[in-house]
Amino acid sequence: MPPAVAFFLIAVVFVGSISTAARARDITVFAAASLTNAIETAAATYEKETGDKIRLSLASSSTLARQIAAGAPADVFISANEKWMTWLTDQGLLVPGSRHDLLTNRLVIVAPKDSNLTPIKIGDTSELTALIGPNDRIAVGDPDHVPAGIYAKQALTSLGQWETVAPRLARTDNVRAALALVERGEAPIGIVYQTDAGISDNVKIIGTFPENSHPVITYPVALTGDHSESKAMKFLLWLLGDDAGRIFADYGFEPVATTQANVPGK
């Protein structure tokens, strides 16, 4: 076990009391919308193996972070970027030493499955607006606060296309909503995560953004609140281990787990 994780196990202090019987039974996990299918499978697996109940709240990382800051009773937070996790850290709302990078992802362009668009190489010479009609828009999570949209803006800026593309965006509250616009044919293309495209039968990937066009897409995880419950800590350690890593990998994520955690018994 790496020193950082060993330190975390030693440093976490279990104080406070459980406010309700439901909270005593359940582990409340706030997770980015792009994790929906993977975290649902992971939670179901953990419940079956341990008997502990996982309650999931899935939305944009920004929405979840603001809810936590407003006092929402989350035990574990998984963000789709570093920004919102750091925002909570700066407010003293995460358990010290509990933050770890969990997963990475890629940013892609998708089109409806039956689209005539063919694969492209995304670069500074390929104009995305050339792929859409004069009245069409490109679906994307709102770059003002949705992680996928923030990464999209960073990539397009680095490729010299942001000023051209920005007025042609259909901005959504989260990345899954952007995916849905493309699935329904309401947008001819969209910018989403590779894993979002992978769970849909109604879209196809036509391009992948160069990795050097934006920061690494990282999903950090941490315990929240001013105290830590043993059940929540055990679930966090399980998420960082090989069993959860295999589940996330099945959905196209690349695990960057920092420990091999044993699944706790009932």
Side-chain angles (χ1 to χ4, degrees):
M1 180 177 294
V5 177
F7 173 79
F8 162 61
L9 287 170
I10 296 170
V12 171
V13 178
F14 302 102
V15 296
S17 61
I18 310 305
S19 58
T20 66
R23 187 164 171 77
R25 290 192 304 270
D26 301 346
I27 303 164
T28 302
V29 178
F30 280 25
S34 54
L35 285 166
T36 297
N37 301 74
I39 195 65
E40 286 177 344
T41 299
T45 300
Y46 187 81
E47 288 179 340
K48 182 178 180 180
E49 294 182 357
T50 68
D52 290 338
K53 175 69 176 176
I54 307 293
R55 291 192 298 165
L56 296 174
S57 179
L58 303 164
S60 168
S61 299
S62 58
T63 298
L64 297 172
R66 289 176 178 133
Q67 289 176 352
I68 292 170
D75 297 309
V76 178
F77 177 44
I78 311 176
S79 175
N81 73 350
E82 303 280 356
K83 173 184 175 180
W84 290 107
M85 190 68 80
T86 299
W87 185 73
L88 290 175
T89 299
D90 292 343
Q91 297 181 67
L93 296 175
L94 301 181
V95 175
S98 70
R99 177 175 174 172
H100 297 278
D101 288 342
L102 180 64
L103 306 165
T104 62
N105 210 337
R106 294 293 303 274
L107 196 66
V108 301
I109 296 178
V110 294
K113 194 75 170 181
D114 59 359
S115 169
N116 292 326
L117 292 174
T118 56
I120 63 168
K121 181 178 181 180
I122 303 174
D124 53 13
T125 60
S126 55
E127 293 289 339
L128 296 192
T129 52
L131 301 176
I132 63 176
N135 298 315
D136 291 329
R137 292 185 176 272
I138 300 169
V140 66
D142 191 338
D144 288 340
H145 65 92
V146 177
I150 294 171
Y151 287 121
K153 179 178 180 179
Q154 292 169 329
L156 292 167
T157 299
S158 109
L159 296 172
Q161 296 195 45
W162 174 248
E163 295 301 325
T164 302
V165 172
R168 308 294 303 278
L169 296 178
R171 302 177 179 225
T172 64
D173 290 337
N174 60 67
V175 69
R176 287 298 176 89
L179 178 68
L181 287 179
V182 181
E183 288 179 317
R184 296 195 298 263
E186 296 176 25
I189 61 173
I191 302 174
V192 300
Y193 295 125
Q194 175 178 276
T195 51
D196 296 310
I199 58 92
S200 175
D201 294 327
N202 299 311
V203 302
K204 61 183 179 181
I205 295 175
I206 62 169
T208 301
F209 282 90
E211 288 186 281
N212 62 2
S213 67
H214 57 79
V216 176
I217 299 174
T218 304
Y219 289 69
V221 60
L223 299 178
T224 64
D226 58 3
H227 67 277
S228 168
E229 298 178 36
S230 59
K231 285 186 177 182
M233 183 190 72
K234 289 177 180 178
F235 181 62
L236 171 60
L237 291 176
W238 184 81
L239 287 174
L240 293 168
D242 289 343
D243 289 345
R246 282 188 287 269
I247 292 171
F248 289 122
D250 285 343
Y251 285 92
F253 292 95
E254 183 175 341
V256 288
T258 56
T259 182
Q260 291 185 354
N262 294 322
V263 178
K266 294 183 180 181

